[in-house]
Amino acid sequence: EKVNGIRLVTFLQRFLPPGLVDQLKEGPKESTRKAFHIKSETPEHVWNPDMARKLSKEVNRLKLLAANAQLKGTLNIPLKDEYKFQFQELDNEVFVGGVYVRLFMKQPEFPLRNPKRFLEGLLKEYFKVALRESQKNDGVDNTMPVLLSAATVSLLRIHKLLSEHAASLGYI
């Protein structure tokens, strides 16, 4: 649904890993329901029982806050606009265009739902990071640009037809 769907996705993004939110938006209902109950570590989806337990604990904490606010006559949950639940498992992951880059590099042949979106995200992020790094006065860290360019090369090797699209984006 276009009106409430966008608001719901925005709300879910505050609590769920981005790959899981993408799966909820785009995936069939049955596989989406199963996604919450299985351990998974793919380029598009990272979820495990520990993450589910931590999220459940956080939701219960917020439920208690909401109940306390309601007792004081307030109907709103006291969440700041910038609130986003953080999963430690994802702290070192780079999520671009619907894909965790490190996991893609481990499994480059994984059948991506939207390789075109991934390519666009990789190129946009690469040039953003490369520009930021080139403007630094102190030591330049090439780790992220190298990772993003390696992922782009891997993606284009597997999805050869994306090469024309890459050229049409104006980055190359």
Side-chain angles (χ1 to χ4, degrees):
E1 183 185 330
K2 291 191 181 212
V3 176
N4 291 321
I6 294 169
R7 289 176 38 198
L8 179 61
V9 167
T10 302
F11 180 77
L12 289 174
Q13 287 172 335
R14 298 173 90 180
F15 295 96
L16 297 174
L20 191 54
V21 174
D22 281 353
Q23 187 171 356
L24 289 170
K25 280 189 325 191
E26 301 165 10
K29 291 177 186 174
E30 190 57 36
S31 67
T32 300
R33 220 175 294 127
K34 288 178 183 176
F36 283 102
H37 302 289
I38 59 170
K39 180 180 179 182
S40 176
E41 186 176 276
T42 71
E44 293 183 328
H45 182 240
V46 175
W47 189 251
N48 62 48
D50 195 43
M51 292 170 79
R53 184 184 52 74
K54 289 174 188 173
L55 180 60
S56 177
K57 187 176 177 181
E58 177 67 1
V59 168
N60 285 328
R61 183 187 75 80
L62 292 172
K63 184 174 81 173
L64 185 61
L65 282 175
N68 288 337
Q70 196 172 25
L71 288 174
K72 295 176 186 173
T74 306
L75 293 177
N76 294 330
I77 299 174
L79 280 183
K80 295 186 173 150
D81 288 341
E82 63 275 359
Y83 172 86
K84 182 161 178 36
F85 186 71
Q86 297 294 316
F87 293 95
Q88 290 177 334
E89 294 85 349
L90 301 177
D91 282 349
N92 296 320
E93 296 292 346
V94 178
F95 189 77
V96 175
V99 177
Y100 295 100
V101 178
R102 179 188 63 84
L103 295 173
F104 172 76
M105 292 303 292
K106 281 179 151 180
Q107 304 174 42
E109 308 248 343
F110 182 85
L112 300 174
R113 280 192 303 255
N114 194 338
K116 190 175 184 180
R117 178 177 156 213
F118 183 42
L119 173 67
E120 292 168 357
L122 283 170
L123 291 172
K124 182 178 180 180
E125 189 67 16
Y126 171 80
F127 283 99
K128 183 176 89 176
V129 170
L131 178 64
R132 184 178 63 228
E133 287 300 323
S134 70
Q135 293 174 342
K136 284 185 175 178
N137 292 334
D138 51 353
V140 175
D141 180 9
N142 288 326
T143 308
M144 187 62 67
V146 168
L147 175 66
L148 295 169
S149 62
T152 303
V153 169
S154 292
L155 180 66
L156 290 173
R157 280 188 181 149
I158 293 162
H159 298 276
K160 293 174 180 26
L161 296 177
L162 285 178
S163 299
E164 286 183 32
H165 180 64
S168 74
L169 293 173
Y171 292 111
I172 301 171

